[in-house]
Amino acid sequence: MTDLDETMTGAEVIAHALKTQGVEYVFGVVGVPVIEVGMAIQQAGIKYIGMRNEQSASYAAGAIGYLTGKPGACLVVSGPGLIHALGGMANAMVNCWPMIVLGGSSDNDQQSMGAFQEFPQVEACRMYSKFSEKPTSMEIIPEIIEKAVRFSMYGRPGACYVDIPGNFVNAQVKSKTLRFRGMCPPPPRSLSDPGDVEKACRVLQSAKRPLVVVGKGAAYAGAHEEIKELVEKHNFPFLPTPMGKGVLSDDHPLSVAAARSRALLNADVIVLLGARLNWQLHFGRTPRFQKNVKIIQVDICPEEFHNNVPTTVALLGDVRNVIKQLNECYHKTYRGVSWKLPMKSEWWKTLQEKINSNAKQTEDIANDKSVPLNYYAVFDVLKKQLPKDCYIVSEGANTMDICRSTIPNYLPRHRLDAGTFGTMGLGLGFAIAASLHAADTARKNGTEPEKVVCIQGDSAFGFSGMELETVCRYKLPIVFVVVNNNGIGQGAGKEFWEGLQTTDEIAVGALPIFLSPNARYEKVMEAFGEEGHYCESADQLAKAFQRCLSRSNQNPSLINVMIDPSSSRKKQEFGWLTRSKM
């Protein structure tokens, strides 16, 4: 801190306030009026990651928030820059991740005059954030930033917005007039009502077909040890949501992910741990659930209870603490009585039958390594080489869904994907955040960084592919795999395109889902001085992936693997969505 008689610029005040609140990373795209803010952030010792698009920057800030529990920040310019960042803010709000956005804005004395990039930013951000504010003076900036950081983490996490008037950035303020509040403490961890916990135990005790659903809220809360004790002591089958994967290892014998539809359809008591009955869980309704299924829900947000279907027992509180309460209640109430669901029970028999059937069906498809490859064959090659501790970022339609069901996760918060909002375009932003976090964790622990592998469809890669330049500039050792089927969901081969000669013929003759055939995406990586690989066979892919993993301690790589344009997922009992006929 400077002497009280000295002055600070507005940019320095913002940077010092962020540093005081423990913000470690700022992702952004700078320009007028926030260039000096970015430089002040670096001078304060905060790591600034300059991105190529504000959307990717805001996705990265949200992902860092999820991985660390502390908000990442996103710095953007006024007007269009802020509008681009709204995608990441909305994604963070729906996924419940802490992040803050700092947006430059027009000078205060030019409001409503048609200033450069003038836009009602505070009002716009209120729809996408927990807190949106414009400081009325330079002296109050530290308090506004402390509140934004605190609001982003406390209760149900989410995005917050702080507006930066352009005339504040280089203006001077006396240091003695500033009030820098100390770092806000971590969020308080609440407990549930003991009577409700006892009721939940009784409901579970009476269940004949119990099921535990592990959501990303449980991953965020760090509740893996408590959940492990709960399911193992009672032989409860558990089902992870996409980003709940790894809270308990996917190869755990009590996992019923391979029998997802049957487990949800037939369970008589379902315990939701940091998961919501939204589209990802079919709203908890028939025909995907029993009409009279009993729901025990653990959530930090009381408004989440009774959504779509009635909650039988609502356990309000921090997921980790509430599960600990459940474990203690069982120990106290049923001491001396080892209550376990027998592995030979009818419930476990019907689940295991489906697990075995689905595993055989998937194995048969994966073993077909004929060219052109199918999705399952590609993922079979990858999973045989993937380290168990790697971060997996997955994005796309079939690419993401099939990857979720075929590539296992073994550690919590090591899978990042489109999430509850179903967002496309976040793959490279998420991968950048995961790589930075892996490096930080390794430095703290004195270990080698865990690898980051980003698996995307060709359509998904197109949303943010230029962030490869960011990856190379910051020397982030990420392995990218583009699963290329020439389209969105499915595409067409070269033969189809050879029949279209003009722009008009393509505009009316190519389906809206079709993309360029056999596009050489690996050349984008090569343009920035790193390795790209083009693969068509399983052997080529295995060799290229081994090469990329071996060099990923220092350098990024990209594999562009061609698959059959008509390849799709195997027939499912119930899909994620049923409206589209595609």
Side-chain angles (χ1 to χ4, degrees), residues 108-115 118:
N108 283 337
D109 60 358
Q110 296 178 354
Q111 286 187 12
S112 302
M113 295 176 64
E118 184 175 0

Side-chain angles (χ1 to χ4, degrees), residues 431-454:
I432 288 168
S435 184
L436 293 166
H437 177 60
D440 280 349
T441 303
R443 278 192 291 271
K444 291 174 185 175
N445 297 335
T447 58
E448 287 294 318
E450 295 165 325
K451 297 185 184 300
V452 177
V453 178
C454 181

Side-chain angles (χ1 to χ4, degrees), residues 210-232:
L211 177 66
V212 174
V213 176
V214 182
K216 67 174 174 288
Y220 181 81
H224 43 282
E225 292 296 336
E226 289 75 15
I227 295 175
K228 186 173 187 288
E229 179 180 346
L230 178 69
V231 300
E232 288 183 351

Side-chain angles (χ1 to χ4, degrees), residues 179 307 367:
R179 291 180 294 176
N307 268 348
N367 285 339

Side-chain angles (χ1 to χ4, degrees), residues 8-23 26 33-34 36-38 40-42 44 46 73-75 100-105 135 137-146 149 162-171 173 178 180:
M8 301 176 71
T9 66
E12 290 170 336
V13 173
I14 293 165
H16 190 79
L18 292 170
K19 182 73 171 179
T20 301
Q21 294 308 318
V23 173
V26 177
V34 298
E36 291 86 353
V37 177
I41 282 167
Q42 290 177 312
I46 300 172
C74 176
L75 177 66
I100 58 173
V101 172
L102 307 163
S105 63
S137 69
M138 293 177 65
E139 287 78 7
I140 204 172
I141 288 173
E143 296 199 38
I144 294 293
I145 288 179
E146 185 276 338
V149 170
V162 178
D163 202 67
I164 306 173
N167 57 301
F168 278 15
V169 173
N170 291 311
V173 63
L178 298 167
F180 285 100

Side-chain angles (χ1 to χ4, degrees), residues 477-488:
I478 305 167
V479 178
F480 295 91
V481 180
V482 177
V483 184
N484 189 349
N485 71 343
N486 300 340
I488 304 170

